[in-house]
Each structure stands twice: as C-alpha cells, then as structure tokens.
Amino acid sequence: MTQRFKVIVTDFLNDDFILEKEILDDIADIIPAVALKEEDLVGIVEDADALIVYHSISIREKTLTRLKNCRIISRGGLGCDNIDWEFARGMGIDVTSIPDYGTEEVADSAIGMLLTLTRGVHYQNSFLRRKGGEWSYTNAVPLVRLRGQILGIVGLGRIGTATAIRAKSLGMKVVYFDPYKPLGYDKSLGVTRAETLDELLAQSLAVSLHCPLTEETHHLMNAATIESMPDRSYLINAARGGVVDVRAIPPALESGKLAGVAIDVLEKEPPNEDDPLVLDWRNPDHPAHDRLILNPHAAFYCEEGLDEIRRKGAENCRRALLGQPVHNVVN
C-alpha cells in the first residue's frame, strides 16, 4: 500500500483546502491545527511529514525537537523570522518561503498609503468625521506636490523595486538604501543609491520600509533615526513589525517631525487593547488619531495573491515528500 503523508497547516487557515488538495490529495492528508500559539501544536505535529506555517504562530526549538518525520516547513509567506530555520537545518528539515508572492499587492499598498497620507486624504476624512473643524481644504494645509519629491526606500528587493517603479510613475525621485544590493542596480532601475541610512533619511519626504526583519534591522526606525528625517515627513512600514520601534511614533507626530505614518504590521498582532500606540490612535485629542494609519497586516492580501501562496506552499511540500528538489530554501 502506498504511503500517505501527513501535512499539517499550523495556523491562519481552516477551510476545505481545495487548492491544497488539488496538489497533495493523491499522496497526503491535509490537517488544520488552527493554532493561535505554539503550545497549541502539542500532540498534533509530532508525526507530521510536512508543516505549512503562516504568520499567526512561531515554530521554535521546543516544537522542532518533537518532529519525528518532518521533511519540510513551508512558510506561507516571505519573512521566516517566526521559524527557527537555523535549528531546523541542523535537524535536516528544509525551511522554504514564497518570496515572489504579493509583490504587486504590497507595493500597491505602500503607494496607496503614501498617497493617502501625502495628499491629506486620511487626515481630512478622520478630522471631519469627528467634527474637528470647518469643511475646508485648509484643515490639511500645508501639502506639497509629489512630483519631484524624494521617496526613500529601505530594502530594494522585489517589493521595494516594485514600489520604486510605481513611485517613479508619479514623478517622484527614488533614493534607496540596501547595502546588500550590488552596485549598478540603481543604474538599471533609474534610482539613486544612498550609502548610509542617515543619508537616505535626511533627504526623503517619505520613507517606505521593505527590508526583512533581522538583528540588523530590528527597530531600525526609532526615536533617533526618525529625528534625522525632515520635519513634516512621512513613514510607511509594509515590511515587518519589528523594523519600527512604534514607541517613537506618537511623540514624532506630536512634535510635527512626522506629518503622517502608515503601519501595516505590528510586532505583536493583534496588539493589546492597552498598547500606548493603539490608545493614542483611538484618542481624538491626540495627533495620531488623524495622522496614523494602522492596518491588520493586510498589505499582502488579495484573492489571487492568497491563492498563489497556498498553491506554491503546497507544491513545495509535494516536491519534498516525493524526494524532489524544493524551491526557495532559506536555510
């Protein structure tokens, strides 16, 4: 009798798994764990041959050491900071990602948030809805023309590049900081390379973050780096929550250092109800109420993009289970 494998979808999804079954049903059973935290996986994953992991939980050493048969941990997304991939490598488990999913969606979201902030759309809508003043364009004064302004991009990977192309179509000048990008890429794309983060920040009307979360980038944007930005500038984070120390956001909005901020993803999701950032965002008497956009880690999402994640994650599992080379191994 042909062996049937066991594939556990650890978190985020709990439906009929039609897409995954189209790819895996002839060789594997697909079982949802519906875990909200790592401890929920106890007694479920030990005999799994493959895990598909999204973003709601972490997979650390305490879980990895219990895996008896696992060949692959397929991350349904790009960032793998919620998986101890180095420890997994030592156990002979491939950890894979899907680096090309959501490129268009996240870039569109970054530009959408940029326009919403810099054109005063969010501010006017929030300000007038709470009856903060007169029905007049003057509420959002001053605004500046985007054409000719500088968008600073931190991290010029697939999404950062797609964002740069969109910004250029608006007539903006693009400056990027990415010390791991080879020299010359700036010329091929028609953008300008900054040698340091400070160099980028000092000249940018708006900064859009598209770097991975690493020890090097953790809290890359903090009180000190934000202070080096021009007065009345804008900050957009559609990367990972830990790239920004959000404790620095409310004071920067209060002082006018930042005219607007858009945060798609937080370090802890959902945030606690008593999170100071959330309290200021909900407080009509605080500048964050009208000048801060918070989203629930949604920039990646569209129906086509989610289908793409699911198919590619399942396809990588199939390759691993059949002993074939897998794509996008991060460890």
Side-chain angles (χ1 to χ4, degrees):
M1 183 176 180
T2 304
Q3 176 187 5
R4 285 192 67 78
F5 298 103
K6 183 176 181 180
V7 177
I8 302 292
V9 181
T10 61
D11 61 304
F12 183 58
L13 296 176
N14 183 25
D15 55 22
D16 50 21
F17 294 103
I18 290 176
L19 294 175
E20 291 83 359
K21 287 178 179 177
E22 289 177 2
I23 296 163
L24 290 167
D25 201 36
D26 63 322
I27 63 168
D29 297 317
I30 302 166
I31 301 169
V34 203
L36 299 177
K37 56 186 183 299
E38 190 173 6
E39 290 73 17
D40 296 338
L41 299 175
V42 175
I44 299 175
V45 299
E46 285 76 4
D47 60 345
D49 299 288
L51 301 182
I52 298 177
V53 180
Y54 286 91
H55 57 266
S56 302
I57 64 168
S58 296
I59 303 293
R60 304 300 181 195
E61 182 177 341
K62 61 184 177 181
T63 297
L64 292 169
T65 53
R66 298 200 314 273
L67 301 177
K68 303 172 184 176
N69 307 319
C70 190
R71 305 183 186 186
I72 183 174
I73 299 175
S74 176
R75 168 74 171 92
L78 172 57
C80 290
D81 48 281
N82 62 327
I83 300 170
D84 190 341
W85 48 266
E86 290 182 310
F87 191 86
R89 178 73 277 150
M91 295 185 63
I93 301 173
D94 287 334
V95 177
T96 63
S97 68
I98 307 173
D100 54 342
Y101 97 95
T103 298
E104 302 97 324
E105 289 73 40
V106 179
D108 288 347
S109 294
I111 292 297
M113 291 187 288
L114 170 72
L115 291 171
T116 300
L117 290 174
T118 59
R119 293 303 308 139
V121 176
H122 172 70
Y123 179 83
Q124 292 280 30
N125 181 73
S126 178
F127 184 78
L128 292 173
R129 181 172 52 196
R130 66 178 179 83
K131 299 180 180 180
E134 296 181 3
W135 193 270
S136 171
Y137 77 92
T138 57
N139 297 321
V141 169
L143 299 176
V144 298
R145 179 178 292 164
L146 278 186
R147 178 171 293 276
Q149 297 288 340
I150 292 176
L151 173 64
I153 293 179
V154 180
L156 204 66
R158 293 174 180 85
I159 296 172
T161 298
T163 303
I165 292 170
R166 285 156 172 75
K168 288 182 63 181
S169 73
L170 297 173
M172 299 190 76
K173 299 176 182 178
V174 175
V175 178
Y176 78 94
F177 173 66
D178 189 334
Y180 299 100
K181 209 69 181 175
L183 293 173
Y185 190 74
D186 47 328
K187 293 184 177 181
S188 64
L189 193 57
V191 299
T192 301
R193 180 188 181 101
E195 294 300 325
T196 66
L197 178 63
D198 286 343
E199 179 187 341
L200 175 136
L201 296 177
Q203 60 185 306
S204 300
L205 171 71
V207 172
S208 190
L209 305 174
H210 299 286
C211 54
L213 178 61
T214 65
E215 290 184 4
E216 187 178 11
T217 63
H218 182 253
H219 287 182
L220 185 73
M221 296 306 298
N222 52 55
T225 50
I226 289 172
E227 186 59 33
S228 67
M229 296 173 66
D231 291 341
R232 294 194 57 77
S233 51
Y234 300 86
L235 178 64
I236 298 159
N237 184 20
R240 305 296 281 180
V243 176
V244 177
D245 182 356
V246 297
R247 294 173 298 182
I249 298 301
L253 290 170
E254 286 182 288
S255 70
K257 169 57 66 172
L258 292 177
V261 178
I263 301 291
D264 178 67
V265 53
L266 294 166
E267 283 191 86
K268 183 181 185 302
E269 295 184 312
N272 295 329
E273 287 296 314
D274 60 353
D275 185 306
L277 183 75
V278 173
L279 293 176
D280 289 336
W281 172 62
R282 288 178 170 159
N283 178 5
D285 296 323
H286 195 284
H289 187 272
D290 300 329
R291 297 191 179 276
L292 172 63
I293 297 172
L294 290 183
N295 278 342
H297 199 171
F300 76 95
Y301 172 72
C302 71
E303 287 298 308
E304 296 88 345
L306 185 56
D307 287 355
E308 181 181 14
I309 294 172
R310 298 180 68 160
R311 287 186 181 280
K312 289 182 175 179
E315 286 167 356
N316 247 352
C317 286
R318 183 179 182 88
R319 293 187 189 97
L321 295 176
L322 296 179
Q324 302 169 353
V326 298
H327 295 164
N328 305 313
V329 178
V330 301
N331 63 342

